Amino acid sequence: MNILADELNSVLAGTIAGRLLSRLGRRIYFPKGIIAQSGEAKTKAYTANATIGMAYDQGKPLMMSAIADNLPHLSAAESVAYAPTAGVETVRHAWKEQLLQKNPSIKEEHLSLPIVVPGITAGISYTADLFLDEGQHIITSNPCWDNYSLIFHERRDGIMTEVPFFSSGPGLDMEGISAALRNAAKTGTVRIILNFPNNPSGYSPTKAEENALVALIKEIACGGADVLVICDDAYFGLFYEDDIIQESIFGRLVNLHERVLAIKLDGPTKEDYAWGFRMAFVTLGSKGIEQEHCDALIKKYMGIIRSSVSCANTPAQYLMLKTLEDPRTAGEKERYFNLLQGRYRAVKKFIAAHPKHPVLTPLPFNSGYFMSFRCEDVEAETIRRELLTRCGIGAIALGKKYLRVTFAAIAEEQIPEIYETIYRTASELQKMDEVEGRR
Ligand SMILES: Cc1ncc(COP(=O)(O)O)c(C=O)c1O
């Protein structure tokens, strides 16, 4: 049992609620991870808040004009009516059309219609409900988004095999990843979640790495194991370098092999700068399934949706549709992309100019909202606290080893100063430790 769950259970011990808790009720807790640390930063990060996964400009979240303009003018049917369980039909078709445009390698033949869920988090959780039982294993990257352990481990009671995706090389540690997949294949079933652009590293595979990943998954399927690949594409599209594939790996997996089931989670949350919409899509595909199987799987998801939230948010779905149809959207998305890419380049420039730091080693990054440092000698939490309390800078500590910085939330001109402060603070903490003989 997690220590935080234990703490809550002891507060509730002896009460009627404590006696009535289910096994899940006893296991669950609210982690001291990204959301808690970012709540702390909201009040204390007076210099810059680089904690939460949102993109800001001049203190406000970015917002598409189609959303701002249409929000006050939704009809009753577009705002207060219930949406169908699997989502508004026109929205699902419009998203599918976009999906095919953004990922030309997807072959429609073995692809489901996207299902609307209340956010990518919900989509991952529902997918886990359907495909991960108590005691079953799922491979994730290490480090990974902290919510995976709450979903796969605490909620579903599955076992996460966290594979270090990065060693000291410039990209993915393909040897480590291959070994983990081959090992899991011995059980006859491999479940893996791939999240590119990755949270917290900010990494997406190069074309060569993606080829290697696809070949590995095919080899495992050909060897007789069933492979479930969940593609968490939350940050899709924010690819800042030319050597990264501009499509989701999902496209290559849909038609790969009868023994590979690919499930894509995506949505407007980050792609269309609509974090609070609470809507996303689940799309399934496999060479081993036809449309009748897709329909049966959609009904399975509908059962999960019906029995949990009943349906997703109606106004968000219609606003999304209007955004997809608005002629201004493409230009605005390009402008926002350029804004974030400018921030990314400023971070890269700083790091290139400061190649060796005694405490902080950046993990490879080339996409998305974040970059992370691997911390040596000083714990990430110690650096986070010092940055927040002494410098007013909010960052995220993930375990002892990783410090995540959301460059998407920092203005480009602030980046050199903020990174200078992060580097200086980490060095000072290390020196203090040396003087005080803690190392
Ligand atoms: C990797 C990853 N997946 C999913 C999500 C959540 O997406 P949503 O807000 O649509 O639930 C996040 C948000 O921080 C994320 O970083």
Side-chain angles (χ1 to χ4, degrees):
M1 188 85 62
N2 183 283
I3 185 167
L4 297 173
D6 266 340
E7 276 170 27
L8 298 175
N9 294 342
S10 39
V11 172
L12 292 168
T15 68
I16 171 75
R19 287 195 296 280
L20 290 174
L21 279 177
S22 66
R23 282 209 304 274
L24 170 61
R26 292 188 59 72
R27 277 202 310 273
I28 207 76
Y29 58 90
F30 186 68
K32 289 193 174 147
I34 296 169
I35 299 293
Q37 292 180 28
S38 132
E40 200 185 338
K42 252 186 208 152
T43 50
K44 296 184 186 155
Y46 53 84
T47 308
N49 186 355
T51 56
I52 198 88
M54 282 174 57
Y56 280 78
D57 196 27
Q58 318 210 353
K60 288 193 195 138
L62 297 179
M63 188 182 194
M64 311 291 286
S65 302
I67 298 175
D69 292 353
N70 286 302
L71 198 53
H73 305 295
L74 291 179
S75 68
E78 292 170 334
S79 52
V80 296
Y82 277 131
T85 310
V88 174
E89 203 72 5
T90 43
V91 177
R92 298 172 67 195
H93 283 281
W95 190 261
K96 183 172 183 180
E97 202 178 297
Q98 289 257 328
L99 194 70
L100 295 170
Q101 272 169 26
K102 290 184 280 194
N103 299 276
S105 61
I106 299 182
K107 305 258 178 341
E108 226 185 316
E109 205 185 333
H110 302 290
L111 191 73
S112 77
L113 192 60
I115 306 156
V116 181
V117 290
I120 295 175
T121 310
I124 299 169
S125 189
Y126 298 165
T127 302
D129 285 351
L130 288 176
F131 296 104
L132 183 74
D133 265 326
E134 194 181 315
Q136 291 182 333
H137 288 253
I138 180 158
I139 296 172
T140 70
S141 66
N142 181 358
C144 65
W145 185 37
D146 67 347
N147 211 1
Y148 290 164
S149 79
L150 206 59
I151 296 172
F152 297 133
H153 181 53
E154 311 300 349
R155 236 185 122 75
R156 293 298 306 153
D157 213 4
I159 301 166
M160 268 170 56
T161 310
E162 291 188 54
V163 179
F165 267 32
F166 309 99
S167 52
S168 50
L172 292 180
D173 176 5
M174 281 310 299
E175 244 175 70
I177 296 170
S178 305
L181 264 77
R182 290 205 174 96
N183 197 33
K186 290 179 197 153
T187 66
T189 312
V190 178
R191 295 176 203 80
I192 182 167
I193 184 160
L194 295 176
N195 164 226
F196 302 127
N198 182 259
N199 176 4
S201 68
Y203 193 72
S204 290
T206 60
K207 293 171 187 169
E209 286 169 337
E210 194 190 71
N211 287 340
L213 273 175
V214 172
L216 172 66
I217 292 168
K218 186 165 185 177
E219 177 203 310
I220 284 178
C222 288
D226 288 327
V227 188
L228 169 72
V229 188
I230 304 172
C231 302
D232 177 348
D233 289 347
Y235 301 88
F236 179 83
L238 297 172
F239 303 120
Y240 306 128
E241 300 287 351
D242 293 337
D243 63 347
I244 313 171
I245 303 262
Q246 305 287 315
E247 289 186 43
S248 166
I249 192 169
F250 174 79
R252 308 263 313 265
L253 301 173
V254 171
N255 273 284
L256 191 67
H257 194 279
E258 287 77 2
R259 285 192 177 276
V260 177
L261 174 63
I263 303 184
K264 186 180 198 313
L265 284 318
D266 59 15
T269 310
K270 324 267 172 180
E271 271 190 61
D272 298 286
Y273 307 92
W275 305 272
F277 262 27
R278 308 321 304 143
M279 71 166 290
F281 299 88
V282 180
T283 312
L284 304 110
S286 169
K287 205 173 179 183
I289 60 174
E290 305 299 333
Q291 282 309 315
E292 57 172 325
H293 307 119
C294 288
D295 293 344
L297 282 166
I298 289 174
K299 294 230 168 62
K300 291 276 182 196
Y301 273 92
M302 285 170 69
I304 297 284
I305 294 168
R306 178 76 186 135
S307 60
S308 52
V309 286
S310 188
C311 62
N313 176 326
T314 304
Q317 296 188 50
Y318 283 102
L319 284 168
M320 193 57 244
L321 190 61
K322 291 176 198 293
T323 307
L324 292 177
E325 288 166 350
D326 196 300
R328 294 170 296 180
T329 297
E332 276 177 17
K333 280 181 77 166
E334 193 181 331
R335 191 148 54 77
Y336 290 169
F337 173 89
N338 290 336
L339 189 76
L340 300 189
Q341 190 178 39
R343 295 171 185 181
Y344 160 79
R345 288 195 175 137
V347 178
K348 281 272 167 183
K349 192 170 160 196
F350 178 91
I351 287 171
H354 302 80
K356 281 239 170 290
H357 189 276
V359 179
L360 303 171
T361 308
L363 294 182
F365 66 107
N366 53 16
S367 54
Y369 277 20
F370 316 104
M371 57 81 57
S372 287
F373 292 107
R374 188 182 280 122
C375 307
E376 290 298 329
D377 293 345
V378 186
E379 287 189 3
E381 174 60 12
T382 312
I383 304 173
R384 180 191 80 88
R385 285 205 162 281
E386 190 72 2
L387 282 172
L388 191 61
T389 52
R390 212 158 52 85
C391 319
I393 294 175
I396 297 285
L398 294 161
K400 291 184 177 166
K401 276 218 136 346
Y402 297 101
L403 185 76
R404 189 191 80 175
V405 183
T406 313
F407 59 74
I410 318 175
E412 189 177 328
E413 55 281 10
Q414 260 195 308
I415 283 174
E417 180 202 328
I418 304 258
Y419 275 77
E420 194 76 59
T421 311
I422 296 173
Y423 272 37
R424 195 183 55 247
T425 303
S427 307
E428 284 171 5
L429 286 168
Q430 189 203 32
K431 283 192 194 116
M432 265 162 58
D433 274 4
E434 266 172 9
V435 171
E436 289 167 21
R438 277 200 286 266
R439 281 190 308 112

